[in-house]
Structure formats: C-alpha cells, structure tokens
Amino acid sequence: MLPNLTHPRGYVGLLALLALIVVPFAFQSSFVYHLAVEVCVFGALATAWNIVGGFAGQLSLGHAVFYGIGGYVATLLVAQFGISPWIGMFAGAAVSAVAAIIIAYPTLRLRGPFFALATIAFLEVCRLLTIHEESWTGGSSGQNVPLNIGLKWMIMREKWAYMLVAFGFLVFTLWISWLIRRSRFGFYLIAVREREDAARAVGVNAVAVKIAAAIVSAMLTSLIGSFHAMYLTFIDPSSAFSLDLSIQVAMFALIGGLGSVAGPIAGTVLVLPAAELARGWLSAFGNGTHGFVYGVVLVLVVLFIPRGLVGHLGAAVVRIIDRLPGARREAPAVADIALKAVPVERGTPILVAEHLHKRFGGLVATDDVSLTLHAGEILGVIGPNGAGKTTVFNQLSGFIHPDTGAVKVRLADGSWALPHRPDEFARHGVGRTFQIAQPFAGLSVLENIMLGAFMHTASREQAEAVAREVAVLTDLTALLDVEARSLTVGGMKRLEVARALATRPTVLLLDEVMAGLNPADIARAIEMVRRIRDAGVAVLMIEHMMQATMALSDRIIVINAGRMLRDGTPSDVVNDPQVIEAYLGTGYRDAQAA
C-alpha cells in the first residue's frame, strides 16, 4: 500500500523528502553530499528506533547493537566470503531479529525499565565479544571493508551515488513506518503504549505486539547499519556498538516527536546539520561541539515543546496543508456490521462463573461467588464499598485469575470456552469498561473506537465504518474528530462503551459507567444501555446509582463481604431485609415507600 500522492498530505510530504536530495545537487559539494548521506542514515535509524521506542513506548537505550550486528555481518561476509553486502545485509537483519527475540521475549513480559537495561547489557556483551574474537573481527582495531568499486559491493567513487542509495534506505524505512502507523498493528502498538490494560480489554495481545515491534525495528536498524559500514569503509567495536549512538538516535526521535512518522526525520534534519556544521567550522577548537548542540536543542525542546516538533506544530501544519486543493475527503458510509453477533435465544446462559474464590494475603476478596448472565438480560451487581464487586468483575474479564473456580463463555457454536487472559476474553465476546475511564488520550474518538473494531475487520476502512456505526449508538458522532483527552467525563464514559461495543461482544461488562455524571448524562447513559441490550448484547453492570440500576436491571445480584447475599428481581432485592441492612439502609426503603 502506497500513500495517496494526489492528496496534499501525500505530495507535500514527497516534496519535503525530495528536498533532501535536490539541495545537495544545487551545492555540488562533497561535504554537503556527505551531510545529506548522514542525515538520511540517521533519519532512517531514528525512524526505525521510533517503531519500538515511539509507537510501542519501549525505551531501547542499547539499540546500536542491531546497527553493529548489521555492519559486522555484512563486512565479514564481504571480507571472508566475497558475498555482496546487498545479500549480507539481509543475513545481518536475520541475526538482529534473533537478537531482538532473545532480548525482548523475557523482558517485554514485564513492566518497567527491564527492556532498556537488557538492550544496554546486550550491547556491551556484543562489543566485548567483537573485541575478543580478534582473529576474524579485527578486535579493537576494527575491520576494513574491501574496496571493491561498484554498486554490487555498495562502494562508489562519487558521494552523490552514496546519497541516492542512502535516500532509498530512508524512503523505505519511512514507508514501513507509515504502513505500520496506519495499520491495525500500529494502532495496537499505540494502545499498548498509552494504556496496556485498556488495550488488552479490546483483544490486544500486548506482549506479542511489543515483541513484533522490537523485531521490525531491529531488522531495519541492521539494514541501515550494513549500508553505513560500506559507506565508511571501516568498522570497529567502539563505534558500531556505541551507547552514544543509541542515545543520539533516540534523541532525534524525541526532538522531532515520538510516535509520529515524520518526527524522527524532522528531529534529524533540525539537529544533525547544525551539529556537523559547528564541528566543521570550529575544527579542533570545537571538538565535542556537536554534543553541545545536541544538548542545547534537547533542553529547549523539553522545556518549550515537550511533545516534539511534530507533536507541537504538526496539527497546525496539517490544517494548512488540508486547505490546499484536493484535500477534502468524503467520510465513508456507515457500516451495518458492528453488532452482528451470532443470535442467541433470549434466556440462554452465555457467561457463567462457578464458585469463584480469590484471596489477597489474609483478605478474602471473593468467597464462593457463582453467577449466570443470560442472553438479552441486564444484570445489575450492587453492594457496599469493599464488598468484592470489582474483584468479581475483573475475574469475569480475565484481569484477575481466581484461586479456584472458573469463568465460562458460550461460543457461537454452542460450546463453552475457558479463557484466561483479558485478550482471550475479548476475542470470545466479552467486552468491558473501566471504573476510571481509560481512553487512548493521544488518539481521536474515531481512532479509539477503531481499536475495538480491528478485532473483527480486515482493513482500516472497515474498522472506520464500524466505528461510525457504534458512534451513532453511543451519541459520539459529533465528536469523532476530537482528541479523546478533550472529552468531558460523560463523553469519556460513552467512549469506553463504544470501544468495547466495537469488538462485537455478546457480553458487555459495565463498571460504574454512570459514576460522576450529571443528571443529563445519566439519562443519556440509561437510554444507551437500553439500546445496547436491544441490539442483542447482554449487559452486566456494577453501579452505585440505585435509581438507574433498579430501572435498567432485569435481575440484581447483591455481594457483601465477598459473598453472594441475594439474587433476584429488583423488587425482591430492594425489599430484602438483609440487603437493606447491608447496603441500602432504611432510608432507601422509606423513600421508595413514599
């Protein structure tokens, strides 16, 4: 898939890229050609790093290990076996992919700085191994690249030829980054970066997508490292496996704007030429000046534009571009597939929890809780604070594993599944919201809902069409282009519901969806829940708004001290003496009587 070059965003971006090669040809200077090569190389490296560091939010401070692997594998294959670097660079990419799996598989299952620390450790190990294996790597003295002139060997006499090849690597890396950002995979990476639990609730296997991002980033970095070694015609451990290089590449992405396609190249174009020019003009007197330039720019960005150049200025630039001829796009037609789950006869059990027990140390949070949700039903769960409702709720969606007991979900063919992880529950038809709304703040309302729709759609266009239908159901159509962070509390609550509905669930778990809302939003939420039930989705809701719970629920379960206290119709529950004593109080009974 290629960008639409007839749209202003496409051709303006292409023109900006072409300036990187047009300007050097205008100067006809070896230094300017060299500077253009370095901009293309480091822009590509920053773009590759951004896939794991920006899109996925996993800090890789030893990312130069993949650059070094690519450079050394390509160089050694040329020197030892006479294999063209155009072939050797793919061998290096394969080795880098294996290295990425070794680093990422154990560390990205954990939250915290473990991945960053592992990349630094692996970088140092590779540097020491390269120094130690002097017989074939050249040790600390490094390795010269055989000077076989010709495109086959990636060794050219003219700087402009290198510049064209480097530009090709940059365009390829940007294209891969653009494809990822627009794809389901890219949306999942951003979701994991912003709110991993919310991502898991819409069916994202967080560990798998983070590992995949690390592999793609490592392979691209390795390819670029192979070319750069041929360009420099020399490689040594201290420069190939350099912590400084890793930090420099990450800094370019940070200055330009993490998580954006254009950010890494924008940061490189801003900083690298200024640093190289300062180093060239000041010569020996300015030794280390490039580091000073990097530091000054980084401090200014952190203080005044913490979201980077693209994050701070990108929206304004896009608005200007979108005023150009040909920018207007028609919204896709609304789909009619969002809630087409396989019909289940009303009253059929579709979610069953059996004898759930959960203990946290000496605290018994769930004590032999069993419940059944039927198709076409709204089941309310009430109880005092600390009664164990949220623990039960999290067990019903896979976020907490019961010590004993099981949760079963009815599948379309009538069989029962026993999911364990949140993403498995989501794929088996259990959608959920969170007590404290967890929108993906950096994405628009439309993109938030699309994250849920991707589970059952084959393309971005289908996901967008489903999202627009769900927006109608949840009163969000007018807000589709608004950033999620700008919504009111009521809007965020409805967005949580919409995102869950876009997964096409048969069961929707609502966790205090009316908490903190004003009366108008509560009335809107009540109507929304009824529309959802009428669309064929069974609803289980935890709610402290008793009037709403009584008005909506077909059946109510009362939990107290981790145990089931009552299960019955609203009228039976509200008049039960035990329920009144434990939760409602005599004031509620008197108000109902009045």
Side-chain angles (χ1 to χ4, degrees):
M1 184 171 63
L2 295 173
N4 181 9
L5 298 182
T6 63
H7 190 278
R9 295 187 190 183
Y11 63 71
V12 169
L14 180 61
L15 290 174
L17 266 180
L18 289 176
L20 288 177
I21 55 173
V22 172
V23 171
F25 277 114
F27 281 93
Q28 292 290 315
S29 163
S30 294
F31 175 74
V32 176
Y33 283 136
H34 168 73
L35 193 58
V37 171
E38 292 296 289
V39 167
C40 289
V41 166
F42 280 89
L45 288 173
T47 300
W49 182 91
N50 188 55
I51 293 172
V52 67
F55 292 165
Q58 305 303 310
L59 186 61
S60 177
L61 291 178
H63 213 66
V65 65
F66 309 117
Y67 168 92
I69 289 173
Y72 262 100
V73 169
T75 299
L76 293 175
L77 288 177
V78 171
Q80 303 293 334
F81 304 101
I83 297 175
S84 168
W86 293 104
I87 299 172
M89 67 181 185
F90 290 105
V95 176
S96 293
V98 173
I101 293 171
I102 293 172
I103 297 170
Y105 187 80
T107 57
L108 290 182
R109 296 174 176 275
L110 307 172
R111 300 189 189 187
F114 303 103
F115 179 69
L117 295 174
T119 57
I120 294 173
F122 206 85
L123 177 73
E124 184 64 12
V125 167
C126 288
R127 188 184 70 84
L128 294 174
L129 284 174
T130 307
I131 293 172
H132 180 71
E133 297 296 330
E134 187 174 354
S135 59
W136 57 282
T137 65
S140 57
S141 299
Q143 176 83 39
N144 288 311
V145 175
L147 296 179
N148 302 319
I149 306 298
L151 184 61
K152 174 184 177 181
W153 304 104
M154 228 182 271
I155 304 292
M156 278 76 78
R157 296 184 186 276
E158 303 294 338
K159 291 282 188 183
W160 61 263
Y162 279 113
M163 184 189 68
L164 293 179
V165 176
F167 182 74
F169 275 100
L170 173 62
V171 170
F172 175 72
T173 308
L174 284 171
W175 178 61
I176 295 295
S177 177
W178 179 84
L179 281 179
I180 289 174
R181 177 61 185 85
R182 287 183 54 84
S183 69
R184 179 202 324 241
F185 178 46
F187 274 82
Y188 283 0
L189 289 176
I190 294 171
V192 169
R193 178 193 72 197
E194 293 209 2
R195 297 187 184 274
E196 188 168 323
D197 283 344
R200 294 162 71 201
V202 292
V204 179
N205 186 331
V207 174
V209 298
K210 287 188 287 187
I211 292 174
I215 294 171
V216 172
S217 179
M219 294 179 73
L220 289 174
T221 302
S222 181
L223 293 174
I224 301 156
S226 298
F227 164 75
H228 204 213
M230 300 302 110
Y231 172 69
L232 298 175
T233 67
F234 177 78
I235 188 168
D236 69 284
S238 61
S239 60
F241 299 106
S242 168
L243 182 60
D244 289 347
L245 175 62
S246 299
I247 295 174
Q248 185 179 354
V249 167
M251 186 185 63
F252 289 154
L254 175 64
I255 290 171
L258 290 177
S260 61
V261 175
I265 186 64
T268 306
V269 170
L270 172 69
V271 181
L272 185 63
E276 291 298 314
L277 288 170
R279 181 159 53 180
W281 288 335
L282 296 175
S283 189
F285 174 75
N287 187 29
T289 305
H290 64 294
F292 175 76
V293 173
Y294 293 156
V296 169
V297 174
L298 183 60
V299 169
L300 292 175
V301 167
V302 170
L303 288 178
F304 298 106
I305 48 174
R307 294 171 62 193
L309 289 173
V310 173
H312 189 72
L313 304 174
V317 172
V318 167
R319 282 196 298 269
I320 294 172
I321 293 173
D322 283 349
R323 294 195 185 106
L324 298 175
R328 187 173 181 180
R329 294 179 299 174
E330 296 295 329
V334 173
D336 188 28
I337 57 176
L339 299 177
K340 284 188 177 177
V342 176
V344 180
E345 184 179 353
R346 187 180 179 89
T348 303
I350 55 175
L351 178 68
V352 176
E354 298 175 332
H355 307 293
L356 300 182
H357 291 81
K358 186 63 184 179
R359 179 186 294 270
F360 298 102
L363 174 66
V364 179
T366 307
D367 188 6
D368 195 26
V369 171
S370 297
L371 61 85
T372 300
L373 177 66
H374 303 90
E377 179 182 41
I378 297 179
L379 175 62
V381 179
I382 63 173
N385 288 329
K389 303 185 300 298
T390 300
T391 302
V392 172
F393 192 91
N394 283 331
Q395 289 174 88
L396 295 178
S397 54
F399 282 85
I400 292 178
H401 298 288
D403 296 330
T404 59
V407 178
K408 300 189 299 183
V409 181
R410 187 183 185 89
L411 303 181
D413 59 4
S415 62
W416 292 89
L418 291 169
H420 298 287
R421 302 193 313 266
D423 57 291
E424 291 179 347
F425 274 87
R427 286 195 293 272
H428 288 313
V430 179
R432 69 157 291 174
T433 67
F434 294 85
Q435 183 176 351
I436 299 174
Q438 296 193 24
F440 303 114
L443 300 179
S444 68
V445 170
L446 176 65
E447 290 172 325
N448 267 265
I449 305 174
M450 286 170 62
L451 269 163
F454 274 123
M455 187 191 301
H456 296 292
T457 54
S459 68
R460 179 191 175 98
E461 289 71 25
Q462 288 183 2
E464 184 173 342
V466 170
R468 291 182 182 277
E469 183 192 356
V470 174
V472 173
L473 191 66
T474 52
D475 294 328
L476 288 170
T477 302
L479 301 171
L480 285 176
D481 295 325
V482 175
E483 273 199 349
R485 62 166 55 93
S486 303
L487 295 178
T488 63
V489 174
M492 288 188 181
K493 294 280 189 177
R494 296 200 306 280
L495 178 58
E496 287 258 306
V497 175
R499 191 175 63 206
L501 280 178
T503 65
R504 281 194 274 171
T506 54
V507 174
L508 180 61
L509 309 178
L510 301 178
D511 192 355
E512 297 192 29
V513 74
M514 299 179 202
L517 303 187
N518 59 44
D521 279 335
I522 290 174
R524 179 183 289 183
I526 290 172
E527 291 304 313
M528 177 182 68
V529 173
R530 285 176 174 153
R531 288 197 300 270
I532 292 168
R533 188 264 309 275
D534 294 341
V537 180
V539 176
L540 184 149
M541 55 185 292
I542 294 177
E543 192 55 67
H544 284 294
M545 299 292 298
M546 286 304 301
Q547 300 290 354
T549 304
M550 295 299 168
L552 283 170
S553 301
D554 300 303
R555 188 163 52 93
I556 291 178
I557 289 174
V558 184
I559 296 178
N560 185 42
R563 298 182 63 87
M564 293 274 293
L565 184 62
R566 188 74 164 86
D567 180 354
T569 63
S571 58
D572 291 339
V573 168
V574 77
N575 291 308
D576 188 290
Q578 288 183 303
V579 175
I580 293 172
E581 180 181 356
Y583 180 51
L584 297 176
T586 56
Y588 184 86
R589 181 186 58 191
D590 295 342
Q592 291 295 100

